[in-house]
Amino acid sequence: MTRTIIESKTKTAVIGFDEPFCVIGERINPTGRKILAEELERDDFSRVEFDAVAQTNAGATVLDVNSGAVFSNKMAEDPRYADNNFVEPMLMPEMIKRVQAVTDTPLCIDSSVPGALEAGLEACEGRPLLNSVTGEEERLELVLPLVKKYNVPVVAISNDDTGISEDPDVRFAVAKLIVERAADFGIAAHDIVVDPLVMPIGAMATAGHQVFTLVRRLREELGVNTTCGASNISFGLPNRHGINNAFLPMAMGAGMTSAIMNPVALPINATKIAEKKAELEALGVVLPEGMDDEAFVQLFGMGSTKPRPGKEMEAIRAANFLFDRDPHGSEWIKFNKVAPKAGQEGRGRAGRTGGRRRG
């Protein structure tokens, strides 16, 4: 069976047909995250470290590290900062070092800049996943030699010089081309993780059916593992978690073995808590004295003040159990075990210490 091995210095993650679904945490990515990009420009990596730990605690198997930051202020001082080929090879190794300092979760090095990919490979301990190569000839010639030189697996995205096709047969043909070209470099199919490209269901009604069919073909005809940007399927729709929670187990049933996604339900911020308290006060609701924010948000179903596993992680854990990839349901039980409240550790059902007395 196809097994793709990804390693840190001390841990191994396996992507495989009969393995638990591999969750690749996507949050260490400044693209579309203005605050993170601004912090990186100031050499502040605290949010990178926080996201690395939070995603690991939420159940991420691998952490994606993307260095695609735009340094707007530095551009004014030095025009070279307008070029990602200048910025990313410097930024990527520093990001990787910071992540490796706080967690031993295996990494995925993510950049469109070959220089950043190689800089990341040099800085990374273990055997990371490289993200990514496409079917474009120039990209194949730049990335595949790195894959061979460092003996690492790679994400293969099913688009080429013509762009992203809406025809799933074309996307399959691109994936097949990449696998064949990789073989020319001596790279085995088990080290290729194909992204068949998930289209938004809101824009293309057949998007879900397409990707399920593609994943089956990739598994059966090419023998490769697969991944995707999981949230793409729900882009532009309300209640995206509901769509994602249905999509992920269905994709797993079709044979998909990993996804690049956010495993974390983000904490409720102080502004939302203050707004809710003001709303309740206006209704004449009196809150108990000394109620802390965590107790408050849980009481009113707002979530948590702390990062925690997202709803998608619940769906994945359940699917792992149902597909017999969680022996005895141990991971499902651990995931759903309610922690005892402070002061109630070791207490019985009625809150008494010890077991039931017998006469």
Side-chain angles (χ1 to χ4, degrees), residues 15-328:
I15 305 177
F17 298 160
D18 292 321
E19 298 289 333
F21 195 71
C22 179
V23 174
I24 303 171
E26 69 179 6
R27 284 194 56 74
I28 306 174
N29 184 345
T31 306
R33 296 184 69 190
K34 185 178 179 181
I35 293 175
L36 176 57
E38 290 172 350
E39 289 174 347
L40 292 175
E41 189 169 9
R42 301 194 305 269
D43 294 324
D44 178 359
F45 293 87
S46 58
R47 195 175 302 267
V48 168
E49 294 167 349
F50 177 87
D51 284 340
V53 173
Q55 290 182 104
T56 297
N57 290 343
T61 323
V62 174
L63 297 177
D64 187 271
V65 180
N66 183 298
S67 57
V70 176
F71 290 169
S72 302
N73 293 326
K74 288 186 176 181
M75 282 182 203
E77 303 167 8
D78 186 339
R80 290 180 299 173
Y81 280 95
D83 184 1
N84 276 52
N85 290 290
F86 175 74
V87 175
E88 292 196 43
M90 293 187 296
L91 182 60
M92 178 65 83
E94 187 61 31
M95 293 177 74
I96 286 174
K97 288 173 186 174
R98 298 301 184 109
V99 171
Q100 289 179 152
V102 296
T103 180
D104 57 355
T105 303
L107 302 183
C108 175
I109 302 171
D110 186 356
S111 177
S112 60
V113 177
L117 294 177
E118 184 151 27
L121 287 166
E122 290 286 349
C124 201
E125 298 171 336
R127 189 176 197 251
L129 176 64
L130 207 61
N131 189 7
S132 59
V133 68
T134 66
E136 299 166 279
E137 185 59 34
E138 181 181 2
R139 188 76 178 171
L140 289 165
E141 291 295 330
L142 288 171
V143 177
L144 290 181
L146 290 178
V147 175
K148 178 62 176 177
K149 177 182 176 181
Y150 290 90
N151 184 29
V152 294
V154 64
V155 174
I157 301 179
S158 300
N159 67 279
D160 59 13
D161 303 88
T162 63
I164 300 173
S165 174
E166 292 188 0
D167 185 341
D169 290 333
V170 172
R171 300 208 298 278
F172 177 84
V174 173
K176 184 178 179 183
L177 169 68
I178 296 172
V179 171
E180 290 171 346
R181 289 296 305 277
D184 292 340
F185 282 86
I187 301 164
H190 63 73
D191 275 336
I192 309 293
V193 182
V194 173
D195 182 346
L197 293 170
V198 174
M199 304 295 187
I201 192 75
M204 181 186 293
T206 59
H209 177 70
Q210 275 193 10
V211 76
F212 303 147
T213 302
L214 257 175
V215 166
R216 289 188 189 97
R217 288 192 68 191
L218 290 165
R219 173 172 175 160
E220 293 168 5
E221 297 181 37
L222 298 184
V224 293
N225 281 307
T226 45
T227 194
C228 70
S231 64
N232 288 354
I233 192 70
S234 61
F235 182 78
L237 293 174
N239 188 15
R240 296 185 66 184
H241 292 297
I243 298 293
N244 296 344
N245 289 352
F247 169 75
L248 283 162
M250 292 175 75
M252 292 167 68
M256 186 169 283
T257 47
S258 69
I260 301 170
M261 55 178 281
N262 177 17
V264 181
L266 299 180
I268 301 298
N269 61 44
T271 301
K272 289 189 179 295
I273 294 171
E275 288 173 352
K276 184 66 175 179
K277 286 182 176 179
E279 177 189 328
L280 293 170
E281 185 178 348
L283 294 171
V285 177
V286 179
L287 297 172
E289 281 189 40
M291 175 180 278
D292 62 28
D293 284 347
E294 179 64 17
F296 174 79
V297 298
Q298 290 200 17
L299 178 63
F300 290 96
M302 297 174 66
S304 176
T305 60
K306 305 168 186 176
R308 65 198 191 287
K311 288 293 184 182
E312 288 84 350
M313 294 301 292
E314 183 175 348
I316 288 169
R317 299 274 184 166
N320 279 333
F321 190 11
L322 292 167
F323 287 131
D324 195 24
R325 296 170 195 165
D326 178 8
H328 313 296

